[in-house]
Amino acid sequence: MSRFDQARIGTKAVWGGEKDYLVHGATQVPVIPSVAFGYDDMDEWYDVAIGKKKGHIYGRNTNPTVQAFEDKVKLLEGAKAGTSFSTGMAAVSNTLYTFLVPGDRVVTIKDTYGGTNKLFTEFLPRLQIEVVFCETGNHEQIEKEIAKGCTLLYLETPTNPTVKITDIKRTAQCAKASGALVVVDNTFATPINQNPLTLGADIVIHSATKFLGGHADALGGVVVGNDEELVEAIYHYREINGATMDPWAAYLLLRGMKTLDLRVKRQTENAMKLATFLEQSDLVESVFYPGLDTHPNHEIAKSQMKGYGGMLSFAVKGGIDTVRELLPRLEFANRAANLGSVETTVGPARTTSHVECTPEERAAMGISEGLIRVSCGIEDPDDILADFKQALESVNATISTN
Ligand SMILES: *Cc1c(COP(=O)(O)O)cnc(C)c1O
């Protein structure tokens, strides 16, 4: 094993996947926007075109800057193979469409990302693919449904916005026994805090738009796995379907990933501090964070995560009226539908993660109209706590004088 192989994840985040793509003595991977790659030797061109020899042919298939991005993610997740996409949703949909055919049965959880949930409720059923939704974190129900027949187990943990936790090892083991494929969306945890491949997943998906890029300025998605044939099949679907990552996005995401370890550690620390602080506030009804003892699956989170992540949510008393007063009073937070960026980002669940649902549907999922999702940034935690404190106190004062 080389010294690089033994290096820790923070070192791999900085150095990983870059060396093969440096040119002219540059220390940084260049953006190569060229759509086509030329060959004077007709035999070499043919060999590359049929995959016998390494190289690039056409930008929809592969691109050096994009490949450097893929190589870095592979190193971070400890995966043998990987491929990338224009967005996280392209990664999710292309993976599902690669493997599923009419008559298949998918077992999943109720709290997947909104776009993923739409694929399950709207698009897969019209191809006669059955999707079964289990209560997130109800392992007995998931196992029971897998036993009834399962082509693919699709998990996401922690989930959006109430950060529910599912035991990856336990459910993956059960799915494997039934011959099912195990796919895990690891966007919320990031490779710093959780590595589903070591817990039994076949395929790991990230919306690179979020924590991997970390600066809310580039869209992207990525899929990694240890079975090269599986990943190759997804790549093949994508090269034909055409949801290719742009080289400029790859460059920004690659640069962002160099600081992934630093950022996510700080975001995780900030989230723990903010969750603990919010639990003490009079205006707060409940706080959801896997790092809190009060979280129903705290023990599972502890066993499968290295850190509890930068995402949390909390419900305020007074519902949406309080949300309307509270969020504009925060100085160090973007009120936006994004997450995973260096800036703290807040939004009501009803406007962000679950905007497609009716209030009744949200209530059935345990998402109150007063639920606020927080993606913690990398700011100084004392400033963030002080900011939430002043906002909560000021809202409290307004309510009590009314
Ligand atoms: C945002 C997100 C996606 C979709 O990613 P896009 O890059 O927005 O397409 C998928 N899964 C999770 C968990 C997400 O947060």
Side-chain angles (χ1 to χ4, degrees):
M1 235 201 239
S2 72
R3 272 167 60 207
F4 184 82
D5 289 333
Q6 291 170 350
R8 290 161 185 85
I9 198 162
T11 308
K12 287 182 174 169
V14 174
W15 290 99
E18 306 209 359
K19 212 166 80 193
D20 292 348
Y21 303 95
L22 302 177
V23 286
H24 305 301
T27 58
Q28 304 304 318
V29 174
V31 186
I32 299 183
S34 184
V35 161
F37 299 81
Y39 294 86
D40 292 333
D41 182 329
M42 295 303 112
D43 296 319
E44 188 194 0
W45 187 5
Y46 180 70
D47 285 348
V48 174
I50 62 169
K52 207 170 124 192
K53 192 164 184 275
K54 274 194 165 178
H56 305 279
I57 297 284
Y58 183 62
R60 173 156 45 75
N61 311 117
T62 63
N63 167 282
T65 315
V66 171
Q67 226 166 44
F69 162 81
E70 293 166 352
D71 285 356
K72 204 187 266 297
V73 181
K74 279 194 285 191
L75 283 162
L76 296 178
E77 284 287 12
K80 287 203 181 84
T83 190
S84 59
F85 303 85
S86 51
T87 65
M89 274 318 297
V92 174
S93 61
N94 281 235
T95 300
L96 294 171
Y97 289 127
T98 297
F99 298 115
L100 296 172
V101 295
D104 279 349
R105 187 167 191 265
V106 176
V107 175
T108 189
I109 50 171
K110 284 188 182 164
D111 297 87
T112 53
Y113 177 73
T116 308
N117 191 264
K118 277 282 161 206
L119 284 173
F120 289 148
T121 54
E122 192 176 336
F123 293 101
L124 293 186
R126 49 184 217 199
L127 302 173
Q128 281 76 53
I129 294 160
E130 187 190 350
V131 183
V132 187
F133 299 91
C134 300
E135 214 53 62
T136 309
N138 182 340
H139 299 91
E140 287 76 20
Q141 192 192 2
I142 296 171
E143 286 170 341
K144 217 183 269 173
E145 289 299 340
I146 290 170
K148 286 185 201 162
C150 174
T151 326
L152 189 148
L153 171 67
Y154 189 97
L155 298 178
E156 198 185 304
T157 177
T159 57
N160 202 354
T162 47
V163 285
K164 290 181 188 161
I165 302 288
T166 303
D167 190 327
I168 299 173
K169 202 173 192 172
R170 173 175 169 182
T171 51
Q173 216 160 28
C174 176
K176 290 306 227 217
S178 301
L181 209 60
V182 179
V183 179
V184 179
D185 182 333
N186 204 29
T187 300
F188 269 38
T190 81
I192 304 301
N193 284 330
Q194 179 170 278
N195 301 112
L197 293 177
T198 64
L199 300 165
D202 296 302
I203 296 290
V204 171
I205 297 178
H206 284 279
S207 165
T209 314
K210 313 292 172 52
F211 288 94
L212 293 187
H215 294 75
D217 56 4
L219 291 161
V222 63
V223 160
V224 296
N226 281 327
D227 184 330
E228 292 176 46
E229 270 178 40
L230 287 182
V231 176
E232 185 66 27
I234 301 170
Y235 161 74
H236 178 60
Y237 186 92
R238 192 269 287 153
E239 71 168 331
I240 301 306
N241 180 52
T244 307
M245 176 176 281
D246 184 83
W248 298 96
Y251 171 80
L252 289 168
L253 297 169
L254 201 52
R255 181 165 75 168
M257 278 198 293
K258 290 188 189 228
T259 55
L260 183 68
D261 187 51
L262 275 179
R263 284 189 282 108
V264 170
K265 279 185 180 139
R266 175 65 159 253
Q267 285 167 312
T268 299
E269 273 174 40
N270 284 5
M272 188 70 208
K273 285 180 181 161
L274 183 59
T276 309
F277 165 78
L278 289 170
E279 268 195 323
Q280 315 299 322
S281 169
D282 295 339
L283 206 60
V284 174
E285 218 161 57
S286 43
V287 182
F288 304 93
Y289 186 61
L292 297 175
D293 297 338
T294 48
H295 188 286
N297 282 335
H298 172 64
E299 288 305 320
I300 298 170
K302 202 170 173 177
S303 72
Q304 71 186 11
M305 300 180 82
K306 284 171 251 178
Y308 301 105
M311 298 300 301
L312 64 94
S313 60
F314 67 102
V316 288
K317 291 175 188 160
I320 192 65
D321 294 332
T322 307
V323 175
R324 220 177 257 122
E325 290 293 324
L326 180 68
L327 295 192
R329 285 176 157 85
L330 291 169
E331 181 168 1
F332 302 121
N334 278 324
R335 285 149 287 269
N338 187 38
L339 62 98
S341 184
V342 289
E343 302 95 3
T344 292
T345 307
V346 297
R350 73 164 199 168
T351 318
T352 56
S353 59
H354 287 72
V355 67
E356 292 105 339
C357 306
T358 63
E360 293 72 29
E361 284 171 334
R362 282 192 289 269
M365 293 166 138
I367 295 163
S368 73
E369 300 299 282
L371 189 72
I372 296 167
R373 181 180 76 181
V374 185
S375 168
C376 291
I378 62 164
E379 301 91 344
D380 189 294
D382 290 341
D383 288 328
I384 293 302
L385 292 189
D387 198 22
F388 273 82
K389 187 164 185 278
Q390 64 78 23
L392 286 162
E393 281 173 2
S394 144
V395 172
N396 235 345
T398 314
I399 290 173
S400 43
T401 51
N402 272 349

